[in-house]
Amino acid sequence: MSNKELQALKERYVAAGAASPNEQFADHATNAELWDADGKRMIDFAGGIGVLNIGHRHPKVVEAVKAQLDKLMHTCQTVMPYEGYVKLAEKLSGVVPVRGHAKVMLANSGAEALENAIKVARAATGRSNIICFDGGYHGRTFYTMAMNGKAAPYQTDFGPMPGTVFRAPYPVPYHGVSEDEALRGLKMTMKADSPGKDTAAIVIEPVLGEGGFYAAPTSFLKEIRKICDEHGILMIVDEVRVALAGPARCLPLSTAALNPT
Ligand SMILES: Cc1ncc(COP(=O)(O)O)c(C=O)c1O
């Protein structure tokens, strides 16, 4: 089908919530190149919003997917576990920069990872408050929407948001917020809104994505680590884009790492 025909189908059958302004439709792709339904070839600068770290259809990935399909497609691992889940958990545990022995839970999306990290933090601390940062983006489910530090467009028309989410400034000197000011802001949030004893977690993107692709200085992340340790708060690092800028160890997945060092 052509782009035009697919666009007509999309307008008729795809819900507005999943809308795309793009009227070209991907047909196939290899490495960094993509062809649309009319055969037009282009360079894919989007990469699924920065998640195709090794491009489209790397032969090793294709081979692994085919091998899995030949064995088994789905069981739901909570009903019937399988080797791939356990082996990936072992691999991630070996690279994630958290203290001691890390355990892994795989989720369907970044938002789901964050929601679960918050559940773990609340259950582990017995506290409810969450502190996150201006410009941060964590997803489109209700709690992650509330955590997004960019009200429009993410919260528009969907309120009221869940409570107990508090915000602090993210250090972006280019926009006039130095590291010292951001730290002062965080301490002010903890004084005015969410004292340590009530805070379950501080959630931060080491590299802001939606907020403008700014990396937090390593010293700032270390200060947060210190504050969390002082108050028994869990630190949640939402790192989709660390692989690009690398202030911490590199994870090529959308993850929510709980209590990194
Ligand atoms: C930093 C960050 N956290 C969470 C998410 C949400 O991920 P998902 O769309 O897979 O729910 C995103 C998505 O872009 C993201 O950039």
Side-chain angles (χ1 to χ4, degrees):
M1 290 180 94
S2 67
N3 283 325
K4 204 169 165 198
E5 288 164 329
L6 288 167
Q7 178 64 16
L9 275 188
K10 185 177 88 177
E11 283 171 16
R12 188 160 170 77
Y13 292 111
V14 179
S20 162
N22 196 352
E23 298 191 7
Q24 289 171 295
F25 291 76
D27 182 70
H28 61 280
T30 302
N31 201 356
E33 291 176 316
L34 198 146
W35 285 259
D36 76 5
D38 293 346
K40 187 169 178 185
R41 172 178 167 239
M42 57 199 93
I43 298 173
D44 182 2
F45 284 108
I49 319 191
V51 294
L52 290 173
N53 293 25
I54 53 170
H56 291 280
R57 297 194 310 117
H58 188 285
K60 282 191 177 168
V61 173
V62 172
E63 192 188 319
V65 171
K66 283 184 176 164
Q68 183 59 45
L69 288 178
D70 281 340
K71 275 175 84 174
L72 118 88
M73 278 180 76
H74 178 63
T75 60
C76 182
Q77 83 85 31
T78 55
V79 176
M80 182 74 171
Y82 44 88
E83 183 179 310
Y85 197 107
V86 179
K87 285 275 190 67
L88 180 56
E90 181 192 27
K91 205 162 209 168
L92 287 170
S93 177
V95 294
V96 73
V98 304
R99 279 178 204 155
H101 173 66
K103 286 196 169 185
V104 172
M105 175 190 151
L106 302 176
N108 294 312
S109 68
E112 194 188 351
L114 263 296
E115 294 270 352
N116 279 285
I118 303 270
K119 281 161 73 179
V120 171
R122 280 185 169 178
T125 59
R127 306 169 182 175
S128 58
N129 292 358
I130 304 296
I131 298 177
C132 39
F133 290 86
D134 293 343
Y137 177 76
H138 303 288
R140 291 164 192 266
T141 54
F142 256 98
Y143 208 82
T144 57
M145 259 197 308
M147 292 184 346
N148 292 339
K150 198 173 167 188
Y154 300 111
Q155 299 172 2
T156 309
D157 296 336
F158 301 134
M161 293 293 124
T164 68
V165 174
F166 301 93
R167 224 171 300 285
Y170 196 94
V172 184
Y174 183 69
H175 290 303
V177 184
S178 68
E179 185 178 343
D180 280 353
E181 281 160 338
L183 209 52
R184 257 203 313 280
L186 174 59
K187 287 178 179 165
M188 187 49 75
T189 299
M190 292 181 69
K191 193 170 176 188
D193 300 312
S194 183
K197 71 174 184 49
D198 297 330
T199 305
I202 297 179
V203 186
I204 187 162
E205 279 175 275
V207 181
L208 278 186
E210 288 287 317
F213 293 91
Y214 298 105
T218 304
S219 47
F220 185 71
L221 297 173
K222 285 189 168 165
E223 275 304 315
I224 293 181
R225 174 72 278 164
K226 215 163 99 192
I227 289 169
C228 285
D229 287 343
E230 274 166 22
H231 297 275
I233 299 169
L234 294 183
M235 180 174 175
I236 297 175
V237 171
D238 182 2
E239 43 184 16
V240 170
R241 293 181 188 81
V242 174
L244 300 178
R249 291 265 297 280
C250 176
L251 278 181
L253 292 170
S254 171
T255 59
L258 203 62
N259 250 13
T261 49

